[in-house]
Amino acid sequence: MQSSILLIVFLPLAAAIIAGLFGGAIGKTPAKVLTTGALFVSCALSWPIFLGFLGGTAEAQVVTVLQWITSGDLAFDWALRVDTLTAVMLVVITSVSALVHLYSWGYMDEDPDQQRFFAYLSLFTFAMLMLVTADNLVQMFFGWEGVGLASYLLIGFWYKKPSANAAAIKAFVVNRVGDLGFMLGIFGTFLVFGTVSIPEILDMAPAMSGSSITFMGMRLMTMDILCILLFIGAMGKSAQLGLHTWLPDAMEGPTPVSALIHAATMVTAGVFMVCRLSPMFETAPVALTFVTVIGGMTALFAATIGTTQWDIKRVIAYSTCSQLGYMFFAAGVGAYGVAMFHLFTHAFFKALLFLGAGAVIHAMHHEQDMRYYGALRKHIPITFWAMMAGTLAITGVGVLGVFGFAGFYSKDAILEAAFARGTSAATFAFWAGAVAALLTSFYSWRLMFLTFWGKPRWADSEHIQHAVHHGHDEPDEHNPAAQEDSGEAVAHHVPSTHEDDGTAGYHPHEAPWVMLVPLIVLSIGAVFAGFVYYEPFVDSEEFWGGSIFFNYDLVHAIHGVPLWVKLTATGAMLLGLLTAWYAYIRNPKVPQEAAHQLGPIYRFFLNKWYFDELYNFLFVKPAFWFGRVFWKQLDIGVIDRFGPDGAAWVVKQGAAGAKRFQSGMLNTYALIMLLGVVAAITWVLL
């Protein structure tokens, strides 16, 4: 296992360095082969480790890479921890990343900067692997910031596109806000425990239960403060309510980036961190309540927004935000295994949905607005069935006691855990999750109906008009990739040529096989992952082997909840499905009428609860105002005036004054010297 884990972690780094620094020299294809091959090797090595823990044949171990830092009482090595929790994350990260690399061969085929793109993907994967294998908090923070940096590079990959640059900056800044809390949590943890070693901290944590510490002039519970600060970091990284605003805008990056960042890696880092430190959080009841409430609110909040969005990628993005809320309130009620189970299943069906959306965008000539789709299921059948599998998984379709898709098992387990916990916060999370499940079903089936059923609405799309007028399959020089999803912010103004059938004469095409194979593989996970892995993730303390806190009493209570609780998610799914069918298939006039009737509520959801506007008013505009004031008043008015500019003025005026005495006349200089001698003698005599 020692050699395997080293290869798993460092192969993506080596590939990223070679492709990034020498990609121009070796060419596009070798760079893609190198990075993709490295990820498939890492994936192939990760699954035996996971299956070893699943079968009970593997044991947790720590592989030391090198001695990192020793400074006073602070000392830690660069060490890779491999236990069950790590193994779960390894297969999630490497599997999705490998498939995203392969998918990108087709999706990014026409991009001139492919070497740079694949280098960024591999660098991102390495940083995430560093995070999940961390044996101490500093190493975890190293990976934490690494994925932040790599996400900035990937989101802003199309740097010629102003919206992509703005989204990258937004993601970077918002995550730094959360990371400030994470840093304070790490500092406080070291102050309290005298170490950053995760195993040592978790061993000592129970003894700190009930202790207090002075924080901001107040005497507060030590573990609650530490865990809340750590969770603030998770809120930023995992886009929880308040620090979520970066995630939808991150869709400005290429679609494979969305699948990698928002399905399996960066956004799940916060959930992983809470589960890794679960024995520590168990000593902080106030912090767990905070996690539960924030998770429940996020699940509900993001789901409401997803019902009103038209961009296919943004709908899935808000779905990600909502599903992360589920994971957090599962952890908040103490069901850490259930939270990781949903993280595991979610990785497959959410990556599938993102990559499927990319295949739809590819088929529709870069069009992302679902209002310009319709009737695509017969034109792109493989993509249709792949997205159908993902939709069945995320909405939780299944028959109790028989079979269900991935989300049926993991989402139901979360709701059952929240109900079984029985606290007021857990009860709130249960009902918030139930309503979110209904809304999830509605907007997921809404996406499917608008995209694959109904009548074609392609003729109204400027992207489709561009394809029709300029040729979809013409060479690049005649049909440049200057579309919404390809790095150039352009607008096409082509006169509409409405065809009777709404197609404008356009013929959608299926994605190449290099993009379809990842969809097929991920579909298998979306269908079977829940059914196969429910028992070890949810019920087996032996499987987790002490890598997380396992609440046996809560797990037992999950299986004893009333039947109506077990059927809640299924009922919500059916109600959402029927509502979406009636509104978008049976009577398409309903959505417009409902939007008109709901008025302010609809606009509230459509404008994402006005969080962007609120933050712009509270933070962005004051920051710019302070910037201008400090620039004009302090920088120019004070520093420049009395600093370099002032010094220059003094020198200039001094030179002008001295010039008056530089007449060049010998008698003048003699007189001045004589006066100086007289003045000196006078001063001495006096």
Side-chain angles (χ1 to χ4, degrees):
M1 186 185 296
Q2 181 172 345
S3 58
S4 295
I5 191 63
L6 291 172
L7 289 172
I8 291 169
V9 173
F10 290 106
L11 274 178
L13 175 63
I17 293 173
I18 296 172
L21 298 181
F22 308 104
I26 64 177
K28 296 179 182 179
T29 300
K32 293 192 292 185
V33 170
L34 178 65
T35 52
T36 307
L39 261 299
F40 271 96
V41 172
S42 293
C43 179
L45 294 173
S46 297
W47 275 97
I49 295 176
F50 170 71
L51 295 175
F53 283 104
L54 187 67
T57 59
E59 295 182 358
Q61 59 178 276
V62 177
V63 179
T64 302
V65 178
L66 52 83
Q67 187 178 12
W68 199 354
I69 292 177
T70 300
S71 179
D73 295 333
L74 179 63
F76 52 87
D77 297 333
W78 186 349
L80 309 178
R81 171 165 290 277
V82 186
D83 54 17
T84 304
L85 184 61
T86 305
V88 171
M89 296 302 297
L90 288 180
V91 297
V92 167
I93 296 166
T94 59
S95 298
V96 174
S97 183
L99 294 172
V100 166
H101 274 73
L102 180 61
Y103 180 93
S104 300
W105 278 60
Y107 197 87
M108 302 296 291
D109 183 56
E110 298 179 357
D111 196 281
D113 298 317
Q114 294 178 56
Q115 301 99 312
R116 179 166 60 90
F117 180 76
F118 280 85
Y120 289 169
L121 286 182
S122 295
L123 178 64
F124 183 97
T125 306
F126 162 73
M128 193 65 198
L129 291 171
M130 284 298 304
L131 193 160
V132 300
T133 56
D135 190 48
N136 58 77
L137 292 176
V138 177
Q139 185 181 328
M140 182 180 288
F141 188 76
F142 175 82
W144 196 272
E145 295 302 301
V147 294
L149 170 63
S151 67
Y152 170 82
L153 298 174
L154 287 168
I155 295 169
F157 176 76
W158 286 320
Y159 58 86
K160 295 180 180 179
K161 190 177 179 184
S163 58
N165 288 329
I169 293 172
K170 188 176 184 179
F172 194 82
V173 171
V174 173
N175 272 274
R176 297 295 75 73
V177 174
D179 292 350
L180 175 61
F182 192 41
M183 284 190 293
L184 292 174
I186 293 174
F187 297 156
T189 301
F190 178 72
L191 175 66
V192 171
F193 294 99
T195 181
V196 292
S197 171
I198 293 176
E200 294 179 15
I201 293 170
L202 299 184
D203 288 339
M204 292 186 286
M208 296 300 301
S209 181
S211 64
S212 60
I213 190 174
T214 301
F215 180 76
M216 298 181 66
M218 300 176 288
R219 200 68 182 173
L220 302 172
M221 303 305 292
T222 303
M223 299 308 295
D224 285 322
I225 294 299
L226 295 181
C227 290
I228 288 174
L229 288 173
L230 292 169
F231 178 66
I232 290 173
M235 289 176 63
K237 197 65 70 180
S238 299
Q240 293 299 283
L241 184 63
L243 296 178
H244 68 281
T245 54
W246 68 270
L247 190 145
D249 290 355
M251 298 300 105
E252 293 292 337
T255 298
V257 173
S258 303
L260 184 60
I261 294 179
H262 305 131
T265 51
M266 177 174 166
V267 294
T268 62
V271 180
F272 165 81
M273 184 268 289
V274 171
C275 291
R276 171 64 80 195
L277 302 179
S278 53
M280 186 176 174
F281 275 81
E282 283 295 312
T283 65
V286 175
L288 282 179
T289 300
F290 183 68
V291 173
T292 304
V293 172
I294 292 295
M297 292 176 63
T298 303
L300 182 60
F301 147 81
T304 61
I305 299 175
T307 60
T308 62
Q309 299 301 300
W310 296 109
D311 186 302
I312 188 172
K313 289 171 64 176
R314 286 182 177 264
V315 173
I316 302 173
Y318 278 107
S319 170
T320 297
C321 192
S322 181
Q323 298 304 309
L324 288 165
Y326 276 99
M327 299 175 203
F328 275 115
F329 79 69
V333 301
Y336 303 101
V338 176
M340 289 302 303
F341 183 40
H342 196 53
L343 184 156
F344 183 81
T345 61
H346 175 265
F348 291 103
F349 62 71
K350 186 53 58 70
L352 174 61
L353 288 171
F354 268 121
L355 296 184
V360 172
I361 295 169
H362 182 273
M364 294 299 288
H365 201 65
H366 310 285
E367 179 60 72
Q368 297 182 203
D369 195 322
M370 298 185 298
R371 288 173 290 188
Y372 305 127
Y373 290 167
L376 287 175
R377 69 184 187 280
K378 294 182 179 179
H379 298 273
I380 47 174
I382 298 176
T383 300
F384 163 70
W385 284 111
M387 292 204 68
M388 176 62 77
T391 302
L392 293 170
I394 193 173
T395 57
V397 174
V399 178
L400 187 65
V402 180
F403 179 80
F405 292 81
F408 172 78
Y409 294 95
S410 57
K411 189 184 296 184
D412 281 24
I414 290 175
L415 294 178
E416 292 164 12
F419 183 88
R421 185 68 175 182
T423 63
S424 55
T427 302
F428 162 77
F430 169 79
W431 288 111
V435 176
L438 188 155
L439 298 176
T440 299
S441 178
F442 172 78
Y443 66 65
S444 297
W445 289 111
R446 169 179 177 262
L447 183 153
M448 292 296 292
F449 293 145
L450 284 171
T451 303
F452 296 106
W453 275 275
K455 297 180 179 180
R457 302 178 298 277
W458 317 339
D460 293 328
S461 168
E462 289 186 345
H463 295 283
I464 298 301
Q465 291 291 341
H466 179 264
V468 172
H469 284 258
H470 299 282
H472 189 285
D473 297 316
E474 292 183 20
D476 286 346
E477 62 267 24
H478 302 295
N479 184 30
Q483 311 295 325
E484 183 176 351
D485 197 38
S486 62
E488 299 284 346
V490 300
H492 302 293
H493 301 284
V494 180
S496 179
T497 57
H498 290 272
E499 302 275 337
D500 292 337
D501 60 0
T503 66
Y506 181 76
H507 301 285
H509 59 95
E510 192 71 88
W513 278 105
V514 74
M515 294 173 61
L516 295 178
V517 169
L519 297 184
I520 296 170
V521 175
L522 289 169
S523 296
I524 297 172
V527 175
F528 297 107
F531 178 78
V532 174
Y533 295 111
Y534 176 88
E535 192 279 331
F537 274 84
V538 177
D539 292 337
S540 179
E541 185 175 6
E542 290 76 16
F543 168 69
W544 290 109
S547 60
I548 62 171
F549 180 86
F550 190 86
N551 191 331
Y552 179 81
D553 293 335
L554 178 61
V555 172
H556 181 73
I558 289 175
H559 298 293
V561 298
L563 180 62
W564 69 268
V565 175
K566 296 179 180 292
L567 296 176
T568 297
T570 299
M573 179 274 297
L574 291 174
L575 183 58
L577 168 61
L578 292 174
T579 305
W581 173 82
Y582 183 78
Y584 294 98
I585 301 296
R586 181 69 177 85
N587 190 1
K589 296 181 180 180
V590 167
Q592 186 174 0
E593 295 175 355
H596 179 72
Q597 291 292 328
L598 293 173
I601 298 175
Y602 173 79
R603 289 191 296 272
F604 184 69
F605 292 161
L606 181 64
N607 289 282
K608 300 163 286 190
W609 290 31
Y610 293 100
F611 265 99
D612 285 324
E613 291 80 0
L614 179 64
Y615 285 1
N616 186 60
F617 176 77
L618 292 177
F619 303 113
V620 178
K621 287 185 176 179
F624 275 100
W625 181 82
F626 276 111
R628 286 191 296 268
V629 169
F630 278 105
W631 169 45
K632 294 182 178 180
Q633 303 299 325
L634 182 62
D635 194 18
I636 297 176
V638 178
I639 297 176
D640 284 351
R641 183 179 180 183
F642 297 103
D645 291 349
W649 181 85
V650 171
V651 171
K652 183 178 179 181
Q653 296 302 315
K659 183 180 179 182
R660 299 177 182 178
F661 298 97
Q662 303 296 319
S663 64
M665 302 297 291
L666 183 61
N667 56 353
T668 302
Y669 297 155
L671 177 61
I672 294 173
M673 291 175 64
L674 180 60
L675 292 174
V677 172
V678 171
I681 294 172
T682 303
W683 183 80
V684 172
L685 294 176
L686 293 176

